Amino acid sequence: MAGDGAVDPQVVRERASLRAALKREYQKQIHNPHRHGSAEGGFLFDPAVQRFMSMRATQAEFFKPTSRASLLGLAIFAPIVAYGWWMKTAREDFENKCRTGQVSYASREFKFC
Amino acid sequence: MLKFIFMNILLIAFVKEWWFIQISLFLMCFIFSCFMGHDFSVSGLGLSLGSDHLGFILIMLSMWIMALVICASQSIKKTNNSPSGFLVVNLLLLLALLLTFSATDYLLFYISFESSLIPTLILILGWGYQPERIQAGVYMLFYTLFASLPLLVSLLSFYSLGGSLTMGLVPCAESSNFITFMWYFCTIFAFVVKLPMYLVHLWLPKAHVEAPVAGSMILAGVLLKLGGYGLIRVLFLFPEVNKMFSWFWVSVSILGGVIVSFMCLRQVDIKSLIAYSSVAHMGLVLSGLVVFGWWGQTGAVVIMVGHGLCSSGLFCLANMVYERLGSRSLLVNKGLLNFMPSLGLWWFLLSIGNMAAPPTINLLGEISLILSVVSWSKLSMFGIGLLSFFSAAYTLYMYSMSQHGLFFNSLFSCCSGKVSEYLVLMLHWLPLNVLIVKTAMILPSF
């Protein structure tokens, strides 16, 4: 159990030897002079990095339509329509005021619209 | 105008020599700027072709970017990955673009607009390097085709209404009833998908990421501008309906740009980040275009030129890093300043161009667009403020993530930077920063 305080030295030694073997293998691969000298560049293949990138690249394929996903879609679309409507009504009010003479041409900020 | 079309077609006969095509494309830019670059309203008229100032700007951009595309794709020549076929496809794409930007007839414009998709598809499928490129090609093709078939119907309606499809002679649709609204929507939907606007932008990250560097550069540099150019050419045909519905396009493009900027901050793939940033920039362009002001139209053109150069340069940089390190992931491509400091200069210069720093023309365009959209409605300032702020945020994220810090431990040795690559990047950066002293070259005189 984690946080027990009591460790089994046998297990610790085993894990350390596995880790050391992996490190030795990594050092052997990364310091290969023929690979460095071939000027092809690249990096030592890391399956964890590959898994992460593949996960991000294929995120769309694992999409499941749930109610939460639909709410997210609404949360994106509704503010767009609401913001646009707000701008539309404000603009139409202003244009109405201009047309009926309540705002004079000289006092407009942006002329020659 | 025909001299440049023929020069382009005849270059296809010389694709066996890479250097010849490379030099000829720069020569074509130079000759075009000498012949057509003076004060005029329209020049080179004949056979439904002609170049007015807007067409001149965009033809120059497409020829320049195509020349830089050939320079940046040296690896195709080195690895002998069908280089002559590659050059043929690029020259056909340039032909389609030249015809599109110089068409004075709406039907010729439409046909070349559609035909630019085929060489792009061949480029993605033939020289892309991941199996996802099939889906990317399908998305790009079907999004654009689905949106542009109604455009054909609407152009034919204009023909039956007015008897001519020559630009400038087509009568405007003056009314504002439901049928005119459907007509308006069918006409501009194609360009809105091409730009792309936020809700119909899904093809862009896929196509940009899966394309080879040539495809990414030409997509970001010129093909997105086809949408903007098309909007400038058709939007004035629907004055009343556009005034009724511009609020929707402004809201979608600005808030959509903000949302896409948030998504940029979450990307782990460099090309994907640059692709999403294109959506944000084009969102601002769309909002400037539909508010129908002079500042908006000119600001849109200036941003189109500046973004074409900047995004194309960033894709070039991303490819340079990919050629060396074999990965587009930001986890692997980090701390590049440690061993590629000269390239870091170009990362910095093009990144600040992306966030509209002076003295790039992006600054001029962004100021003009902000002024025009705010003049339409001061409430848009919320969205525009967020858009500009997050555009700087994700650019800083991209720059600091890729350049600063420690580099990835598992890297093998690679070349730190070739002079030909610095040349390509400088040719992207120079027009972007120097054109601000003679902005009459990129401000279209409508």
Side-chain angles (χ1 to χ4, degrees):
Chain A
M1 260 314 168
D4 240 352
V7 286
D8 187 354
Q10 173 66 17
V11 169
V12 170
R13 266 198 298 275
E14 232 175 87
R15 285 203 190 118
S17 70
L18 281 169
R19 250 197 330 268
L22 281 169
K23 274 187 192 165
R24 265 198 306 274
E25 183 60 33
Y26 174 78
Q27 291 292 326
K28 194 170 99 166
Q29 297 276 356
I30 199 67
H31 291 298
N32 178 0
H34 302 289
R35 181 77 174 81
H36 281 274
S38 69
E40 66 180 278
F43 65 103
L44 184 60
F45 179 72
D46 184 350
V49 168
Q50 182 59 52
R51 271 199 301 270
F52 176 72
M53 294 304 292
S54 307
M55 173 199 75
R56 282 302 199 98
T58 55
Q59 241 171 352
E61 284 162 39
F62 293 98
F63 175 75
K64 263 198 312 239
T66 62
S67 51
R68 192 164 155 236
S70 309
L71 274 174
L72 183 66
L74 193 67
I76 288 177
F77 196 66
I80 289 176
V81 175
Y83 188 49
W85 196 264
W86 188 23
M87 285 196 289
K88 167 190 190 294
T89 44
R91 175 77 189 167
E92 279 173 357
D93 280 340
F94 173 71
E95 278 186 1
N96 213 14
K97 281 202 201 128
C98 289
R99 286 198 184 106
T100 53
Q102 293 165 47
V103 169
S104 73
Y105 187 72
S107 61
R108 276 173 61 167
E109 271 169 318
F110 293 100
K111 300 180 171 60
F112 299 112
C113 227
Chain B
M1 204 56 228
L2 211 54
K3 44 184 169 285
F4 301 103
I5 309 284
F6 270 125
M7 182 170 179
N8 195 347
I9 297 175
L10 291 173
L11 273 177
I12 297 178
F14 295 96
V15 291
K16 287 271 189 265
E17 280 102 28
W18 186 281
W19 62 269
F20 187 82
I21 305 288
Q22 202 160 307
I23 293 180
S24 304
L25 281 169
F26 280 116
L27 192 66
M28 203 154 93
C29 286
F30 177 63
I31 297 176
F32 187 76
S33 65
C34 288
F35 270 91
M36 310 293 216
H38 43 263
D39 288 328
F40 54 85
S41 58
V42 66
S43 129
L45 279 176
L47 298 168
S48 305
L49 300 171
S51 141
D52 71 342
H53 206 176
L54 174 64
F56 167 74
I57 294 166
L58 288 167
I59 294 176
M60 276 301 295
L61 180 71
S62 43
M63 288 199 277
W64 187 251
I65 297 280
M66 188 53 80
L68 295 178
V69 158
I70 306 294
C71 288
S73 306
Q74 296 286 342
S75 67
I76 292 181
K77 176 163 171 273
K78 230 182 305 204
T79 55
N80 209 16
N81 186 5
S82 343
S84 22
F86 175 79
L87 288 175
V88 169
V89 170
N90 274 310
L91 287 170
L92 288 175
L93 178 55
L94 183 62
L95 177 69
L97 290 171
L98 286 184
L99 284 174
T100 316
F101 289 128
S102 62
T104 53
D105 186 271
Y106 279 111
L107 196 60
L108 177 63
F109 166 74
Y110 175 78
I111 292 172
S112 5
F113 176 80
E114 295 298 301
S115 37
S116 67
L117 281 175
I118 310 274
T120 318
L121 182 73
I122 299 175
L123 215 50
I124 294 178
L125 292 180
W127 285 271
Y129 35 76
Q130 270 171 291
E132 288 88 4
R133 67 188 192 271
I134 303 174
Q135 196 196 38
V138 166
Y139 261 69
M140 184 188 76
L141 203 64
F142 283 99
Y143 262 71
T144 320
L145 283 177
F146 170 72
S148 58
L149 278 176
L151 171 63
L152 179 63
V153 174
S154 105
L155 288 178
L156 295 175
S157 313
F158 271 116
Y159 182 69
S160 74
L161 176 74
S164 163
L165 274 180
T166 307
M167 287 186 189
L169 296 181
V170 173
C172 299
E174 295 285 353
S175 51
S176 57
N177 47 24
F178 178 70
I179 291 287
T180 318
F181 165 66
M182 292 305 297
W183 198 356
Y184 162 76
F185 188 75
C186 290
T187 314
I188 73 170
F189 192 48
F191 304 115
V192 147
V193 166
K194 195 79 181 177
L195 251 182
M197 190 181 72
Y198 171 61
L199 296 171
V200 288
H201 70 289
L202 270 181
W203 66 272
L204 185 107
K206 288 192 195 288
H208 270 109
V209 166
E210 304 301 332
V213 66
S216 292
M217 281 171 73
I218 204 74
L219 265 168
V222 191
L223 288 174
L224 301 187
K225 290 44 187 176
L226 282 174
Y229 175 79
L231 275 177
I232 296 179
R233 293 294 193 206
V234 306
L235 215 46
F236 66 92
L237 297 173
F238 298 96
E240 291 303 316
V241 194
N242 187 58
K243 276 186 236 166
M244 281 166 59
F245 291 99
S246 56
W247 61 269
F248 183 69
W249 306 120
V250 173
S251 180
V252 174
S253 53
I254 292 187
L255 281 188
V258 173
I259 294 167
V260 153
S261 307
F262 291 152
M263 289 169 70
C264 269
L265 287 168
R266 290 277 301 150
Q267 293 302 318
V268 286
D269 183 337
I270 288 191
K271 275 178 95 165
S272 194
L273 207 158
I274 305 170
Y276 275 111
S277 82
S278 294
V279 181
H281 284 265
M282 290 296 120
L284 199 54
V285 165
L286 174 63
S287 57
L289 283 174
V290 297
V291 298
F292 260 178
W294 189 89
W295 282 80
Q297 309 273 317
T298 51
V301 176
V302 170
I303 286 255
M304 289 201 295
V305 174
H307 172 264
L309 291 163
C310 195
S311 259
S312 170
L314 283 171
F315 275 117
C316 209
L317 274 169
N319 180 65
M320 287 171 194
V321 171
Y322 177 77
E323 276 175 3
R324 287 161 172 76
L325 303 183
S327 169
R328 294 191 311 260
S329 155
L330 275 171
L331 300 170
V332 172
N333 302 337
K334 62 187 190 73
L336 298 177
L337 265 181
N338 289 301
F339 55 92
M340 291 199 278
S342 303
L343 223 54
L345 168 70
W346 297 109
W347 272 105
F348 177 70
L349 290 175
L350 287 169
S351 295
I352 61 168
N354 206 19
M355 57 167 126
T360 62
I361 47 182
N362 277 330
L363 175 73
L364 168 69
E366 201 156 304
I367 290 178
S368 310
L369 283 175
I370 291 177
L371 273 173
S372 86
V373 182
V374 167
S375 78
W376 179 78
S377 164
K378 290 211 225 18
L379 296 170
S380 63
M381 205 56 216
F382 294 123
I384 291 181
L386 283 173
L387 183 63
S388 284
F389 175 75
F390 281 104
S391 139
Y394 65 68
T395 314
L396 280 173
Y397 167 67
M398 176 180 74
Y399 177 73
S400 62
M401 189 67 187
S402 64
Q403 306 303 116
H404 296 160
L406 290 173
F407 56 89
F408 189 54
N409 263 325
S410 314
L411 293 179
F412 291 115
S413 307
C414 56
C415 164
S416 96
K418 302 179 211 151
V419 178
S420 62
E421 295 173 337
Y422 299 149
L423 174 70
V424 170
L425 293 169
M426 194 273 295
L427 290 174
H428 276 107
W429 175 82
L430 199 69
L432 185 65
N433 279 267
V434 170
L435 273 175
I436 198 126
V437 299
K438 176 88 174 155
T439 48
M441 296 202 55
I442 42 169
L443 287 174
S445 48
F446 286 115

